[in-house]
Amino acid sequence: MRRLSTFPANPSQLDLLVSVGGDIAARDAQDLMAWPFFNLAKSKRVRPIDFRMGDISILVEATAEHGMATIWDADVLIWVASQIVEARDMGRPTSRLIAATPHEILAFTRRGTGKASYERLKAALDRLQSTTIATSIRQRDARRRHRFSWINEWKERLDGSGRALGIEMIIPDWFYEGVIDQALVLTIDSDYFALTGGLERWLYRLVRKHGGKQKGGWSFDFQHLHMKSGALSPPKRFAFELRDIVRRQALPGYQLTIEHALGRERLSFVAIPADPFDAAMRRVGLRPVDMS
């Protein structure tokens, strides 16, 4: 079925990147994994995230109508990053203008594919489009900030008879540049999409970014983690939820421990050695088979 663009012509004349279905590896943008960009709760948030650390500044603002984009909404951006990297690696042209069916996005992110899921996807796209970010990340001058929304615009696609074919979206330059640079993207475990808590989703991305596959792992002070999360929960509640994540060992591919030093709690994490065959399957987006 031919897919028709519904965006009007514009000076940049963006090419259309048509998504590929099937199993592809999930990729995430490292900048989004390392810094606080999303609401970690499903309840509406309009209070801004105003984060500053050294030369890094991030201001995330939301509208009263839609609220701030959530960590679950960010699944759409993971899907976008995965599509762009897949196209690049296959030698296909990449673009900021992407066409897809809702089913492709929902299946990739392990959501239901019924009408209710489609409506939730459209609400997510609205939050991504209406949330604005101003950041110094990847700017030559720390005083200069790049301002954008996660999605510049999106539309439902129609055929010649007015029947819905899917959606198209345009992503901003800042996000596209971070994805097209191979050094700024990491493959993530597809089991990430099965994580139900906002904090554990955020923590997995941070752990994957900083812990990677290093033998010695990495660690963060609880207070530092609370600051980097952008969460609205008070420190005591945040620490309680962190301890619960450690107790459940909730993050795929990582062993978590808590250390105590100088009256402070510190989260340590190290990658669990993967079976070579399972790792190869995950790299191409397939789930390992349980032979037990």
Side-chain angles (χ1 to χ4, degrees):
M1 181 181 295
R2 189 165 64 95
R3 300 182 176 184
L4 304 178
S5 173
T6 57
F7 285 112
N10 59 76
S12 60
Q13 289 295 307
L14 292 172
D15 293 326
L16 180 65
L17 173 61
V18 179
S19 66
V20 294
D23 291 317
I24 64 172
R27 280 93 167 195
D28 206 349
Q30 292 195 47
D31 288 332
L32 274 63
M33 301 166 79
W35 305 105
F37 282 109
F38 300 99
N39 177 14
L40 303 187
K42 290 187 176 179
S43 56
K44 181 185 288 188
R45 173 172 177 168
V46 294
R47 180 176 168 180
I49 295 174
D50 192 355
F51 176 86
R52 298 171 189 274
M53 179 183 290
D55 291 339
I56 298 296
S57 67
I58 298 170
L59 177 64
V60 184
E61 297 177 294
T63 65
E65 179 181 3
H66 298 293
M68 185 179 295
T70 71
I71 195 76
W72 294 272
D73 300 337
D75 287 0
V76 175
L77 301 178
I78 294 175
W79 174 85
V80 169
S82 304
Q83 290 291 331
I84 291 174
V85 172
E86 184 73 11
R88 183 199 66 198
D89 291 350
M90 295 298 292
R92 298 169 52 215
T94 61
S95 176
R96 292 170 45 231
L97 172 58
I98 303 173
T101 66
H103 183 276
E104 290 169 336
I105 300 175
L106 294 170
F108 180 84
T109 57
R110 299 193 188 179
R111 309 290 179 90
T113 54
K115 181 178 180 182
S117 296
Y118 183 32
E119 293 303 316
R120 285 192 289 269
L121 174 60
K122 290 197 292 184
L125 293 170
D126 283 339
R127 283 188 293 271
L128 290 165
Q129 193 277 326
S130 61
T131 298
T132 58
I133 303 93
T135 181
S136 64
I137 295 174
R138 284 190 269 119
Q139 304 305 300
R140 294 181 180 178
D141 185 343
R143 294 172 297 179
R144 177 184 175 187
R145 298 203 289 183
H146 193 140
R147 183 176 291 274
F148 58 91
S149 295
W150 293 121
I151 295 177
N152 287 359
E153 54 183 298
W154 75 275
K155 290 186 178 182
E156 294 181 285
R157 296 184 295 110
L158 308 174
D159 65 12
S161 302
R163 292 177 299 182
L165 293 176
I167 59 175
E168 288 180 3
M169 66 185 83
I170 299 178
I171 60 171
D173 283 325
W174 186 90
F175 180 65
Y176 178 77
E177 290 169 0
V179 170
I180 207 67
D181 185 337
Q182 190 170 4
L184 297 179
V185 176
L186 290 174
T187 300
I188 63 171
D189 195 312
S190 59
D191 284 342
Y192 165 81
F193 297 116
L195 297 176
T196 57
L199 182 59
E200 62 190 28
R201 280 173 157 253
W202 168 79
L203 187 61
Y204 171 80
R205 299 172 84 189
L206 186 78
V207 165
R208 175 68 183 93
K209 164 69 173 78
H210 291 283
K213 305 299 180 184
Q214 301 179 73
K215 290 184 179 180
W218 204 267
S219 68
F220 281 115
D221 181 280
F222 271 32
Q223 184 178 5
H224 183 78
L225 286 172
H226 183 257
M227 178 179 63
K228 287 199 75 172
S229 73
L232 293 176
S233 58
K236 286 187 177 180
R237 178 64 189 178
F238 181 86
F240 174 82
E241 292 180 355
L242 274 185
R243 295 187 203 106
D244 182 60
I245 291 172
V246 174
R247 179 185 61 80
R248 293 185 289 110
Q249 292 298 313
L251 305 190
Y254 289 91
Q255 180 72 34
L256 310 176
T257 57
I258 296 177
E259 300 173 356
H260 296 80
L262 302 176
R264 288 191 168 190
E265 289 179 288
R266 192 171 188 88
L267 177 71
S268 296
F269 41 90
V270 63
I272 299 171
D275 178 272
F277 179 71
D278 288 354
M281 292 186 69
R282 290 185 187 279
R283 277 196 297 270
V284 295
L286 300 178
R287 291 174 57 82
V289 179
D290 186 357
M291 302 298 291
S292 61

